[in-house]
Amino acid sequence: MKVFLMFRDRDFSLEEAAPANAQDLIQDLELNTLFQAMAGGDSYLFEVARVAVMASLKEHEAILYRQEILSDCLEFQEIVKELYTLSVDSIERENKIWGWFSLSSPDSLLHRSVEALGLFVGSLERLRKLADEQGTKMRSEGFRRFFGMISQELDDDYLQAVKNHLERLNFPNGILMNADLGPDFRGKNYILRRMDVRKLKWFEQVQEWVGQIKHKDGAGFTFDVDPRDEAGFRALEALRTEGIANVAVALAQSSDHILSFFKALRLELGFYMGCLNLREKLVAKQEPLCIPTPLLEKDEMLQCREIYDVCLSLNTATRVVGNDIAGENKALVVITGANRGGKSTFLRSLGLAQLMMQCGMFVAARDYQANICRGVFTHFKREEDVGMKSGKLDEELSRMSAIVERITSHSVLLLNESFASTNEREGSEIARQIVRALMEKKVKIVYVTHMFDLADGFYRQLKKCALFLRAERLADGTRTYRLIEGAPEPTSYGEDLFWRIFKGESENLQVQVSDEWATARRLSGTHT
Amino acid sequence: MEQDGQGAGQGIPDCFPDLNLDQIIDTITAGWEEYDLKPAFYAPLTSVEAVQYRQHCFRDLLENPGLLQHVRSFTESMRAMRSHLAISEKRYYKRQKQAAFLDAIETYCSATLKLSDGLLSVGPASRGFQALRDFLLKYSASEGFTVLRRETEKVRADLADVHYTLHIHQGSVTVNRRDSEDDYSEDVLQTFEKFRQAEPRSHRLKVPLSMEMNHIEAQILDLVAELHAEAFMHLDEYCDSYRNYCDDRICRFDREVQFYIAYLEQMEPLTKAGLSFCFPTLSSHSKEIQALDTYDLALANQLIRARKDVVQNSFYLKGPERIFVVSGPNQGGKTTFARTYGQIHYLAALGCPVPGMAAKLFLFDRIFTHFEKEEDIQNLRGKLEDELVRIHEILGKATSSSILIMNESFLSTTMNDALFLNRQVMKRVAALDMLCVTVTFLDELATINEKTVSMVSMVYPEDPQRRTFKVIRRPADGLAYATAIAEKYHLTYDSVRTRIDARQSEVSRS
């Protein structure tokens, strides 16, 4: 019995391979915020979300398979939630049995397994009922197959057979076990036998065992196990538990099999529950969502309306600004303009949308249409490493080198102020060479940069196959956080910012520009 | 005992992470957690006298091995004493608590006596340790301490003399004074020895050993105590009356001296590797500072563990000079230089020996750092704005006695902007007449005025990709080596193409 709600033909697991650059993606795109929203406070759902989002689907079909199931989930929330609750309840109740027994004086392993099985029978009956009564409403291939399987495999005859076993395992006639004597005179190799022996035999064995203790302490001390002495009683219990261990193991295995089925169900539904959690948060803020349209790798496309950074939105009380992009057949997107103008945010929103689409989820946009990528790569500026082993440019280059080591055609690479850790002339030169080579190898590149020299060079040479966006800044200096199409402009706005922040500075710091500064300006004349 | 310069209790200074002082202090205090030493390292001294007082104590410990040894063995005993007390605290039954408590007092008495005798014989030279010696002489001869010692010995001797027998019958246990020393087990063995054929089977029961007394043992012990009422009553009285046996000044010394020991201990591997420490001359007015062959202590700790060479740098300021402008190739040790500068000043202000052959340093009021920070989605201010707000705050708080260390400030904008902003800041720093180090790619900053001194990170002339990590006082030469580095990482146009082709053909083959 397979769940198959994440893939048409195989199980989903928490060991799904994440790309080698997963840590970079998580850090650069602030993915933990997304996972947290999907988790809704549940650390298990966090893990499921993380694995599912990181293990991007590369096949068009596979994405559509999940999108269909997701659509069912969005439409029939209640059924999906009930199914998920059923799996979680079963797992948790089973867990509690074990916790409860390990804390008290254990009656026997056997008893525990019987208890667990009894509990699962109830769950299986509920599951069957759900399949019979609700399952037929679902439209997706995945859910139809799943509920069909439940109705067929868990039919009435099967459920009755399980109950019969449970009844026999209550041992109405007691237990009998064989044992060998160990080298320390303690019993070992206890094996439970058939039930045609009376309780008396069992008592006799216990008597014998108590007798051994007496003999051992025979130097003169009398030893009685007082029925009220819990420590003494615990020893007796341990013996009995050991005796029925092998049957308990077999039963425990059986109940483990059922448990693993519910765990698979919880796991695969966990992804969709994460989607529902996320939707709830975004819908509450009236942020738009859409089921994206994935295109084949070769159909280079990036087109969207009101795309926004879902993680930023999750961290903000109000709605965030969305952007519209029309990028058909654009191999390069260059974003320039005002600091604090929403450039990094936009870059993240693209990365997030691509990852969300490729795990079968909805996307944070009014609509989104893009080709499937073989990989999403990020190269964002980082704080200097605490290991002190390398300088900043070295660190950037070594990360870029790791990316080049893995990137393939039809991947997308998001660059955020890359190579700004050296001066502008040299940074531009390094970037130009890398970008040119990658574009030739069919890597889609989105580059946020304030290096005018670089952006302007791209504009002059690649106008046709590239899209140029600029952070909008109104005439009065206000930033709209919106990106508009436009050629790179040679200025940035650090100076305004400086005077705004320093306008309140104390009198004694208001130093006049002296001759020295004029000299300095002359010296830097080559760059201005 | 140590004269505490100022109340510790402030939190971690802001400059710690940027200067890697957090790593240094972590290394120093690792293994000393129980003494809570960090607050002392968070509180630089503010007067030259206080610094000298500590320097003398350090010098005493460094130059008088006998002194250090006595202090160490004393603090080890105090540690043992505390663990006895902890055991006493943890025990459930009263008598077990008393046993551990007695151990603690015995340890305390002998440790105190030994230290007192030791200090007398080694003759400390510093005011701090001389004061300690005088105090201990008085204390160990005092009435209170002498009585404590005598009582401890008596209680111990009395209890060593207690013997008893146990008789347990049908769930009843009888305890008695012992009246015979015979061993029945020997009789038994002798009696049945003739039946012996081979080695007997083992009858060991697997009983987990518990440190804690169980209820049966405890009842027995109570009966024993009743039989030997006098000795145990004496014990009760003793424990009651010496609950606070430990002298406060001795306990404080035990804690405070760890500051010195911990610091000296972290110096050991470094001096063994051939690196120097020196006692700097501090001034709170002259800014003509100087350091010879100093180095980044955090980096050195890492490098000597990996058995690698540690690069040492020297620097000086004279006349009106205040600001080091550090430029030159990447990965050339510029940031390390800036950190070294901050660290050596900070450590000097703690009264500690500092890395280097010799040093003349300035006793600052505060150290400010302005290092690049990673973008934080929670902080919705733009990065540049954030940097400007931070420098504005710093300039508002700084005085002419402050030190400012800037690392690659205002890079998230165009070069023109960066130049403008850096100049504006330099202008204000110069006006404040404060000490400053700024690491930058902008060579232009090195020649702003008579307060700036240019320092350049060096490469080997024959191979520009190899860095010496030396930072040397000389004019900025405008050379950067970025392209050479790109080659090193195989990130030129041709290399990138070749690498992707090679891998894709590999993939299609397999």
Side-chain angles (χ1 to χ4, degrees):
Chain A
M1 293 193 10
K2 293 293 198 179
V3 175
F4 286 173
L5 288 174
M6 289 292 277
F7 298 100
R8 177 179 278 115
D9 50 3
R10 71 174 180 89
D11 291 326
F12 175 72
S13 98
L14 285 177
E15 316 300 310
E16 297 292 329
N21 63 329
Q23 273 320 309
D24 288 334
L25 287 173
I26 289 173
Q27 186 176 351
D28 294 338
L29 301 179
E30 311 257 2
L31 282 167
N32 281 330
T33 304
L34 178 71
F35 303 153
Q36 268 157 17
M38 292 179 73
D42 179 333
S43 60
Y44 178 77
L45 288 181
F46 182 96
E47 187 64 6
V48 176
R50 185 183 64 79
V51 173
V53 171
M54 296 321 291
S56 281
L57 299 171
K58 307 292 187 287
E59 305 296 328
H60 193 247
E61 287 289 283
I63 295 175
L64 295 184
Y65 181 77
R66 278 193 204 166
Q67 284 185 347
E68 261 188 42
I69 294 175
L70 178 65
S71 297
D72 265 346
C73 292
L74 298 179
E75 188 169 353
F76 303 108
Q77 266 200 62
E78 297 315 315
I79 303 178
V80 174
K81 282 184 179 164
E82 191 178 343
L83 194 55
Y84 183 73
T85 309
L86 173 61
S87 66
V88 172
D89 280 356
S90 307
I91 294 160
E92 280 179 357
R93 284 170 63 200
E94 196 269 356
N95 249 324
K96 276 184 198 140
I97 304 176
W98 287 84
W100 161 243
F101 275 100
S102 61
L103 283 174
S104 65
S105 163
D107 183 23
S108 73
L109 266 170
L110 185 81
H111 193 100
R112 298 175 205 167
S113 303
V114 167
E115 185 99 348
L117 274 177
L119 183 134
F120 285 141
V121 170
S123 298
L124 293 176
E125 283 176 326
R126 276 170 65 199
L127 184 55
R128 187 26 222 299
K129 191 156 167 270
L130 196 62
D132 288 353
E133 291 171 4
Q134 310 283 348
T136 45
K137 293 179 188 164
M138 305 302 232
R139 294 196 196 93
S140 62
E141 180 194 342
F143 269 123
R144 295 194 72 86
R145 192 207 64 87
F146 175 80
F147 281 122
M149 171 188 76
I150 297 297
S151 298
Q152 197 185 335
E153 299 286 334
L154 303 182
D155 64 5
D156 293 344
D157 286 352
Y158 177 79
L159 290 174
Q160 188 55 50
V162 175
K163 286 187 209 162
N164 291 344
H165 269 300
L166 282 175
E167 213 162 308
R168 241 176 282 144
L169 283 163
N170 273 326
F171 299 115
N173 296 322
I175 63 165
L176 167 70
M177 56 195 184
N178 288 346
D180 299 335
L181 196 62
D184 56 356
F185 275 11
R186 297 192 64 199
K188 63 167 191 178
N189 303 337
Y190 295 97
I191 293 172
L192 195 74
R193 283 182 45 186
R194 287 205 175 275
M195 258 118 323
D196 41 309
V197 179
R198 307 261 162 240
K199 275 183 181 170
L200 195 60
K201 282 270 188 183
W202 175 82
F203 263 107
E204 279 169 5
Q205 291 204 0
V206 174
Q207 292 291 343
E208 236 179 87
W209 176 69
V210 173
Q212 281 176 18
I213 298 290
K214 268 186 183 159
H215 181 71
K216 200 229 146 255
D217 284 329
F221 293 120
T222 316
F223 198 93
D224 294 318
V225 179
D226 185 329
R228 282 165 306 178
D229 182 354
E230 278 189 37
F233 227 80
R234 236 175 277 141
L236 266 185
E237 274 306 322
L239 188 66
R240 219 163 69 93
T241 305
E242 211 179 327
I244 48 147
N246 57 338
V247 172
V249 166
L251 279 173
Q253 272 171 8
S254 309
S255 87
D256 281 351
H257 290 319
I258 302 178
L259 181 64
S260 68
F261 172 77
F262 281 116
K263 281 188 170 165
L265 185 57
R266 176 179 62 163
L267 175 63
E268 304 209 356
L269 284 177
F271 169 70
Y272 298 102
M273 290 301 290
C275 296
L276 289 175
N277 284 341
L278 177 62
R279 179 179 70 160
E280 199 177 314
K281 291 194 175 66
L282 295 173
V283 164
K285 294 184 62 181
Q286 289 167 341
E287 293 281 22
L289 292 174
C290 70
I291 302 274
T293 312
L295 303 177
L296 296 177
E297 267 178 10
K298 59 179 174 54
D299 303 331
E300 213 154 76
M301 170 70 80
L302 174 61
Q303 195 150 312
C304 53
R305 283 190 304 137
E306 288 185 48
I307 188 169
Y308 59 95
D309 179 346
V310 58
C311 297
L312 180 65
S313 176
L314 289 167
N315 277 325
T316 320
T318 52
R319 282 190 60 187
V320 296
V321 175
N323 276 296
D324 301 347
I325 303 297
E328 194 169 354
N329 284 321
K330 300 292 188 193
L332 172 68
V333 181
V334 178
I335 303 153
T336 56
N339 285 306
R340 252 199 82 188
K343 291 176 297 183
S344 307
T345 301
F346 172 70
L347 196 62
R348 273 194 282 264
S349 71
L350 285 183
L352 287 162
Q354 194 69 25
L355 287 176
M356 287 164 82
M357 178 178 85
Q358 288 193 219
C359 71
M361 215 197 292
F362 45 74
V363 161
R366 181 74 59 195
D367 57 49
Y368 185 80
Q369 192 177 11
N371 58 295
I372 295 170
C373 291
R374 272 191 224 169
V376 176
F377 293 84
T378 52
H379 188 266
F380 283 34
K381 222 173 143 192
R382 293 274 174 79
E383 200 164 356
E384 197 151 353
D385 69 331
V386 283
M388 295 178 290
K389 282 185 206 83
S390 55
K392 269 188 279 193
L393 182 61
D394 257 276
E395 187 271 337
E396 279 199 85
L397 285 163
S398 117
R399 271 192 293 129
M400 180 57 78
S401 182
I403 289 171
V404 169
E405 203 50 45
R406 294 175 190 131
I407 206 163
T408 58
S409 53
H410 304 298
S411 293
V412 61
L413 172 60
L414 308 176
L415 299 164
N416 194 5
E417 302 287 17
S418 297
F419 310 118
S421 62
T422 182
N423 67 51
E424 197 169 327
R425 249 163 299 129
E426 280 165 341
S428 300
E429 181 54 27
I430 294 174
R432 233 182 326 263
Q433 298 208 13
I434 294 171
V435 168
R436 216 173 93 211
L438 290 176
M439 281 175 69
E440 283 179 26
K441 296 299 160 195
K442 293 199 166 29
V443 173
K444 193 195 287 188
I445 291 171
V446 185
Y447 201 150
V448 166
T449 183
H450 68 256
M451 294 193 284
F452 175 71
D453 189 26
L454 177 72
D456 190 52
F458 286 142
Y459 186 74
R460 275 182 276 113
Q461 290 164 27
L462 302 167
K463 220 178 300 181
K464 289 218 176 71
C465 63
L467 180 65
F468 291 87
L469 301 174
R470 221 167 53 209
E472 188 178 36
R473 186 168 181 269
L474 304 178
D476 64 359
T478 320
R479 289 142 172 85
T480 62
Y481 302 106
R482 200 177 291 281
L483 299 177
I484 50 170
E485 278 197 45
E489 284 177 350
T491 48
S492 194
Y493 307 99
E495 198 169 332
D496 326 342
L497 205 51
F498 179 84
W499 291 119
R500 188 157 66 69
I501 289 167
F502 274 73
K503 68 170 181 277
E505 74 180 357
S506 55
E507 283 296 314
N508 60 341
L509 288 174
Q510 293 282 4
V511 193
Q512 288 305 306
V513 175
S514 68
D515 289 346
E516 293 147 11
W517 301 98
T519 315
R521 243 205 315 276
R522 185 168 45 71
L523 282 171
S524 68
T526 49
H527 306 302
T528 40
Chain B
M1 256 180 244
E2 188 178 349
Q3 187 181 62
D4 224 341
Q6 60 189 76
Q10 306 91 321
I12 304 180
D14 292 341
C15 66
F16 261 46
D18 288 339
L19 298 180
N20 288 339
L21 276 164
D22 50 354
Q23 294 178 24
I24 294 173
I25 303 309
D26 282 348
T27 307
I28 294 172
T29 56
W32 306 79
E33 289 77 6
E34 63 182 296
Y35 298 105
D36 188 24
L37 289 181
K38 284 191 176 173
F41 285 101
Y42 296 158
L45 301 172
T46 47
S47 80
V48 173
E49 291 69 35
V51 168
Q52 282 170 349
Y53 182 89
R54 282 199 193 164
Q55 285 186 349
H56 290 156
C57 290
F58 264 117
R59 205 183 278 277
D60 220 358
L61 287 166
L62 264 176
E63 290 169 1
N64 192 340
L67 174 65
L68 181 59
Q69 208 189 325
H70 281 297
V71 169
R72 272 192 175 148
S73 97
F74 169 76
T75 62
E76 270 158 34
S77 298
M78 290 296 274
R79 212 182 264 220
M81 176 197 84
R82 279 192 300 277
S83 90
H84 289 310
L85 286 180
I87 289 171
S88 172
E89 198 60 38
K90 231 171 49 193
R91 290 285 181 250
Y92 178 70
Y93 293 108
K94 175 181 139 197
R95 296 297 180 197
Q96 272 201 305
K97 284 179 182 292
Q98 290 175 331
F101 186 68
L102 185 57
D103 288 340
I105 299 187
E106 278 180 330
T107 311
Y108 170 75
C109 290
S110 78
T112 304
L113 272 185
K114 260 182 75 185
L115 181 63
S116 175
D117 292 349
L119 286 182
L120 201 56
S121 71
V122 295
S126 62
R127 273 199 293 138
F129 282 106
Q130 282 171 353
L132 175 70
R133 176 198 59 196
D134 298 345
F135 165 75
L136 281 174
L137 275 177
K138 241 170 60 197
Y139 175 73
S140 59
S142 70
E143 170 81 13
F145 185 72
T146 318
V147 173
L148 176 66
R149 275 177 62 209
R150 205 172 51 223
E151 286 289 286
T152 307
E153 278 164 20
K154 176 153 172 38
V155 168
R156 178 62 82 193
D158 286 354
L159 288 172
D161 229 22
V162 170
H163 306 284
Y164 64 95
T165 65
L166 275 176
H167 181 214
I168 300 163
H169 181 63
Q170 283 185 346
S172 65
V173 178
T174 315
V175 181
N176 217 330
R177 278 184 191 281
R178 192 156 77 205
D179 49 12
S180 163
E181 300 294 329
D182 66 358
D183 182 347
Y184 180 63
S185 76
E186 280 174 17
D187 286 356
V188 173
L189 286 175
Q190 217 174 340
T191 310
F192 296 102
E193 179 64 26
K194 57 183 147 198
F195 293 106
R196 180 180 181 134
Q197 309 296 314
E199 280 304 303
R201 271 186 285 243
S202 157
H203 282 275
R204 257 177 309 149
L205 281 179
K206 282 186 198 158
V207 183
L209 278 175
S210 167
M211 295 298 290
E212 201 64 56
M213 198 180 255
N214 66 38
H215 54 296
I216 306 290
E217 291 172 278
Q219 281 169 319
I220 292 169
L221 183 55
D222 283 346
L223 296 177
V224 173
E226 260 177 55
L227 286 172
H228 298 270
E230 204 181 319
F232 280 91
M233 252 160 61
H234 191 190
L235 176 64
D236 286 342
E237 284 163 15
Y238 171 87
C239 291
D240 271 356
S241 39
Y242 295 110
R243 193 157 295 156
N244 299 313
Y245 64 90
C246 199
D247 186 272
D248 285 347
R249 284 153 299 184
I250 290 182
C251 291
R252 223 183 99 206
F253 165 73
D254 175 45
R255 199 173 80 79
E256 286 180 358
V257 79
Q258 306 302 329
F259 172 84
Y260 296 95
I261 301 198
Y263 195 86
L264 290 172
E265 251 178 40
Q266 63 97 37
M267 281 167 55
E268 256 170 46
L270 296 155
T271 46
K272 251 185 220 150
L275 293 168
S276 312
F277 278 88
C278 64
F279 287 101
T281 311
L282 281 217
S283 165
S284 51
H285 51 273
S286 166
K287 289 172 184 167
E288 292 207 331
I289 57 164
Q290 187 178 346
L292 187 60
D293 288 346
T294 183
Y295 50 90
D296 179 334
L297 192 52
L299 186 60
N301 277 325
Q302 288 183 6
L303 290 175
I304 58 160
R305 236 171 279 147
R307 296 177 188 286
K308 286 190 182 143
D309 287 342
V310 176
V311 173
Q312 297 162 54
N313 280 305
S314 302
F315 57 80
Y316 67 88
L317 292 177
K318 61 178 181 346
E321 294 167 353
R322 297 289 180 266
I323 301 168
F324 284 118
V325 177
V326 189
S327 63
N330 290 304
Q331 214 198 337
K334 289 179 296 183
T335 303
T336 300
F337 177 84
R339 287 193 178 118
T340 306
Y341 181 92
Q343 287 171 11
I344 192 175
H345 275 96
Y346 189 87
L347 294 172
L350 288 175
C352 295
V354 299
M357 293 286 287
K360 225 176 88 186
L361 300 168
F362 181 70
L363 189 61
F364 57 87
D365 60 359
R366 292 190 58 183
I367 294 187
F368 296 97
T369 56
H370 189 261
F371 278 45
E372 211 188 350
K373 293 267 186 295
E374 203 161 347
E375 231 167 327
D376 179 2
I377 198 172
Q378 305 285 351
N379 176 359
L380 298 174
R381 271 194 326 219
K383 179 167 181 157
L384 182 65
E385 181 172 358
D386 190 59
E387 287 192 8
L388 279 166
V389 168
R390 277 197 290 134
I391 197 72
H392 183 246
E393 277 171 18
I394 289 173
L395 290 175
K397 288 182 199 155
T399 72
S400 67
S401 296
S402 303
I403 292 177
L404 170 62
I405 296 174
M406 296 171 72
N407 192 29
E408 310 285 20
S409 296
F410 315 125
L411 276 180
S412 60
T413 180
T414 62
M415 194 155 150
N416 287 339
D417 262 1
L419 260 174
F420 168 81
L421 297 172
N422 272 295
R423 284 212 188 99
Q424 288 292 336
V425 170
M426 282 297 119
K427 189 167 82 172
R428 285 158 178 78
V429 167
L432 276 167
D433 196 43
M434 65 198 287
L435 291 174
C436 172
V437 176
T438 178
V439 172
T440 182
F441 289 106
L442 304 167
D443 299 342
E444 293 88 340
L445 296 180
T447 47
I448 280 180
N449 59 25
E450 84 281 359
K451 293 200 167 178
T452 56
V453 174
S454 173
M455 300 289 287
V456 180
S457 61
M458 303 303 290
V459 296
Y460 290 103
E462 70 275 16
D463 177 5
Q465 276 184 245
R466 276 180 70 206
R467 271 68 172 138
T468 65
F469 300 106
K470 280 265 186 200
V471 174
I472 285 178
R473 183 172 165 134
R474 64 172 232 190
D477 54 13
L479 278 176
Y481 296 78
T483 315
I485 274 202
E487 252 159 46
K488 175 173 146 197
Y489 284 99
H490 308 291
L491 286 174
T492 57
Y493 171 72
D494 289 328
S495 312
V496 170
R497 280 169 51 100
T498 319
R499 285 171 74 183
I500 294 184
D501 282 343
R503 207 177 52 261
Q504 282 183 348
S505 66
E506 213 172 89
V507 169
S508 59
R509 259 204 314 278
S510 63

